């Protein structure tokens, strides 16, 4: 049972099939490969849908998993230091939390942690201003921001796109449905 819709006053629970999670993790590895050199930050409370890929993706494919302290996801200073210390390469923010993190960076004259290669957003609308500010704060030429969308009932996300600095890609692509789903 997972809670979804973190931004609502009343989160709801949903049961999702094991094969849906398998599909999601397999797709993520095909689309955004992790290796032994990667470090994934698990910062989402485990009752929320995003925690599933944060917890399991790294283990399945040999990446290192770093666990943030409880409620650490709400403290940008703590996150910046943890990401920097552990050289995190992959993490997730809901867009409003990314805005807060970007504001922290800007206010403290910092750049996006240079170790971050992949930053995923989902759970809320990702606005062009957030995309532009995030890319403007990054010095890492390999850095990419990924936007995922979909109801958890469909096994967490069902569409994805990569927004680019200055312009936004307006067409989202569906996640594939492999043979083992049916």
């Amino acid at each position: 049972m997972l809670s979804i819709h973190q931004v609502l006053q009343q989160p709801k629970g949903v049961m999702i099939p094991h094969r849906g999670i398998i599909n999601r993790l397999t797709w993520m590895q095909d689309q955004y490969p992790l290796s032994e050199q990667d470090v994934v930050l698990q910062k989402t409370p485990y009752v929320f849908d995003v925690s599933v890929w944060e917890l399991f993706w790294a283990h399945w494919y040999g990446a290192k998993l770093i666990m943030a302290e409880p409620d650490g996801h709400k403290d940008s200073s703590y996150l910046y230091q943890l990401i920097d210390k552990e050289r995190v390469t992959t993490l997730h923010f809901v867009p409003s939390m990314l805005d807060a993190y970007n504001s922290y960076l800007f206010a403290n004259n910092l750049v996006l942690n240079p170790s971050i290669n992949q930053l995923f957003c989902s759970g809320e609308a990702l606005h062009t201003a957030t995309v532009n500010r995030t890319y403007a704060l990054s010095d890492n030429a390999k850095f990419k921001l990924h936007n995922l969308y979909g109801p958890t009932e469909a096994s967490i996300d069902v569409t994805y796109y990569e927004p680019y600095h200055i312009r936004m890609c307006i067409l989202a692509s569906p996640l594939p449905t492999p043979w083992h789903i049916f």
Side-chain angles (χ1 to χ4, degrees), residues 1-2 14-27 52-53 56 60 152-156 178 180-182:
M1 177 74 79
L2 295 172
V14 63
M15 294 293 286
I16 54 177
H18 181 260
R19 65 183 179 254
I21 296 301
I22 300 296
N23 181 53
R24 170 58 190 273
L25 294 174
T26 302
W27 170 79
V52 173
W53 72 257
F56 295 110
W60 280 24
T152 298
E153 296 88 333
S155 296
I156 306 175
H180 64 273
I181 288 297
F182 300 105

Side-chain angles (χ1 to χ4, degrees), residues 21-53:
I21 296 301
I22 300 296
N23 181 53
R24 170 58 190 273
L25 294 174
T26 302
W27 170 79
M28 283 192 80
Q29 182 63 17
D30 288 345
Q31 189 68 28
Y32 313 107
L34 290 180
S35 73
E36 307 81 42
Q37 286 75 43
D38 285 298
V39 179
V40 177
L41 177 60
Q42 197 287 323
K43 62 180 186 56
T44 306
Y46 71 90
V47 296
F48 289 107
D49 53 4
V50 168
S51 70
V52 173
W53 72 257

Side-chain angles (χ1 to χ4, degrees), residues 4-164:
I4 59 174
H5 305 296
Q6 299 177 51
V7 295
L8 300 177
Q9 295 285 331
Q10 300 274 317
K12 67 177 183 176
V14 63
M15 294 293 286
I16 54 177
H18 181 260
R19 65 183 179 254
I21 296 301
I22 300 296
N23 181 53
R24 170 58 190 273
L25 294 174
T26 302
W27 170 79
M28 283 192 80
Q29 182 63 17
D30 288 345
Q31 189 68 28
Y32 313 107
L34 290 180
S35 73
E36 307 81 42
Q37 286 75 43
D38 285 298
V39 179
V40 177
L41 177 60
Q42 197 287 323
K43 62 180 186 56
T44 306
Y46 71 90
V47 296
F48 289 107
D49 53 4
V50 168
S51 70
V52 173
W53 72 257
E54 286 180 340
L55 286 167
F56 295 110
W57 185 25
H59 288 296
W60 280 24
Y61 297 101
K64 181 178 179 182
L65 181 68
I66 299 299
M67 305 288 285
E69 65 185 31
D71 289 327
H73 66 287
K74 298 176 183 177
D75 182 346
S76 294
S77 175
Y78 165 76
L79 287 176
Y80 184 83
Q81 292 170 29
L82 180 63
I83 292 166
D84 201 50
K85 176 184 172 203
E86 300 294 343
R87 306 215 15 90
V88 170
T89 62
T90 304
L91 74 156
H92 175 274
F93 278 108
V94 293
S96 58
M97 295 298 285
L98 179 57
D99 284 335
Y101 191 71
N102 285 343
S103 293
Y104 167 81
L105 296 176
F106 186 78
N108 289 282
N109 228 8
L110 300 168
V111 297
L112 190 67
N113 307 72
S115 62
I116 299 173
N117 294 328
Q118 304 188 97
L119 196 156
F120 293 88
C121 281
S122 65
E124 300 169 350
L126 178 61
H127 299 287
T128 303
T130 303
V131 172
N132 290 341
R133 191 170 197 192
T134 303
Y135 274 103
L137 288 167
S138 177
D139 285 346
N140 181 350
K142 295 192 295 184
F143 172 76
K144 287 195 177 181
L145 180 61
H146 308 288
N147 191 38
L148 308 175
Y149 173 78
T152 298
E153 296 88 333
S155 296
I156 306 175
D157 296 306
V158 295
T159 62
Y160 67 102
Y161 70 88
E162 288 183 26
Y164 297 96

